[in-house]
Amino acid sequence: MKKVLEIRYYGDPILRKRTRPVRKITQEIKDLVSQMIDTMEFHEGAGLAANQVGEDLSIFVVSEKVVGKEKGPLVVINPEIINIKGQIIMEEGCLSIPGIYAEVERAEFVDLKYVNLKGEDKVLKANGLLARVILHEYDHLKGFLFIDRVDRDTRRILIARYRKNIELEKGRIKV
Ligand code: CO
C-alpha cells in the first residue's frame, strides 16, 4: 500500500536540525523508508531525506531515475562522506523549498559510506547527478539546505521569491 507523507517546508525547525543515527533497522524503519520512497516518487523528487517528512533520523533515499532501475531506489542509512574531489556547478531545487532553483557549486566526485536496509556496510563512489543528489541529501541530514550553498545576495533573492510565491498561492482560489 502506498503512503505519501507530508513534506516539511522551509521554515520548519526540523529541517535545521542535525538528524540522529539509526540504531537498529526495525520494521518501523523499513516502513518509513518505503513511505519515503512513495513520497519522493509522488512528488517526482530525485531524492528525499527523513527530516523532510518530519522524522529525525539519518536516512535518505535516491530515485531510480538517478541510480537506474536495477539499482534503485537507493536507500542510505547513517551516511558518512569519506572523500570528495573536484568542483562542479549544477542547478538544484528542493521539495522543501518548492518553486525556486539555483546554480550551486559542490564536489564533483563523492565516496559515501553507509548502511543499507539489510544492515550491511556499503561504500559507493558517485559522480554526476548521483553525486549531486547525495551531497544535497547529506546536507539535509546535517540541517543544511541548498540555499545555504549560494552567496548571500542570491540567497536573499531566492528566499524573497519563495515567500512571494507562497503569498500568491494563498490568494488563489482552489476548488
Ligand atoms: Co532538498
Side-chain angles (χ1 to χ4, degrees):
M1 196 177 61
K2 285 195 188 279
K3 190 176 174 198
V4 175
L5 302 168
E6 202 181 308
I7 299 275
R8 301 299 182 93
Y9 294 109
Y10 178 72
D12 191 311
I14 198 162
L15 295 175
R16 290 311 199 173
K17 201 171 166 284
R18 177 185 275 259
T19 54
R20 288 183 299 121
V22 173
R23 283 165 173 250
K24 194 163 177 261
I25 299 164
T26 57
Q27 189 56 46
E28 263 189 342
I29 294 290
K30 288 177 186 169
D31 291 345
L32 169 65
V33 164
S34 147
Q35 292 164 6
M36 282 171 64
I37 291 167
D38 291 343
T39 307
M40 170 180 69
E41 289 175 350
F42 178 81
H43 291 286
E44 298 183 327
L48 185 76
N51 48 346
Q52 287 186 278
V53 290
E55 294 292 337
D56 175 18
L57 288 166
S58 186
I59 306 172
F60 67 75
V61 291
V62 181
S63 167
E64 61 181 26
K65 286 184 287 183
V66 178
V67 291
K69 257 211 158 76
E70 63 290 343
K71 281 189 190 168
L74 177 69
V75 177
V76 173
I77 299 169
N78 298 344
E80 199 184 312
I81 288 176
I82 50 177
N83 199 22
I84 54 168
K85 210 176 74 185
Q87 280 179 325
I88 190 167
I89 293 171
M90 287 173 82
E91 188 185 67
E92 283 183 40
C94 180
L95 291 176
S96 291
I97 326 173
I100 62 163
Y101 300 88
E103 302 266 303
V104 182
E105 185 176 297
R106 294 187 191 264
E108 188 176 2
F109 302 93
V110 182
D111 296 346
L112 186 77
K113 192 173 154 264
Y114 67 99
V115 175
N116 70 11
L117 208 46
K118 292 178 192 161
E120 301 161 332
D121 289 321
K122 293 275 177 184
V123 173
L124 174 66
K125 287 179 178 293
N127 59 38
L129 182 59
L130 178 56
R132 178 54 57 128
V133 174
I134 286 171
L135 289 164
H136 178 111
E137 303 310 334
Y138 188 82
D139 257 5
H140 269 302
L141 299 181
K142 305 288 178 197
F144 291 105
L145 299 168
F146 82 98
I147 53 169
D148 303 329
R149 302 288 181 205
V150 298
D151 65 82
R152 212 208 277 179
D153 288 340
T154 308
R155 179 160 58 246
R156 206 174 291 147
I157 292 166
L158 291 171
I159 292 168
R161 195 178 296 159
Y162 174 67
R163 296 222 161 102
K164 188 157 180 235
N165 284 348
I166 291 174
E167 284 309 307
L168 289 171
E169 278 289 310
K170 276 185 193 159
R172 290 207 172 111
I173 296 162
K174 285 184 217 145
V175 288

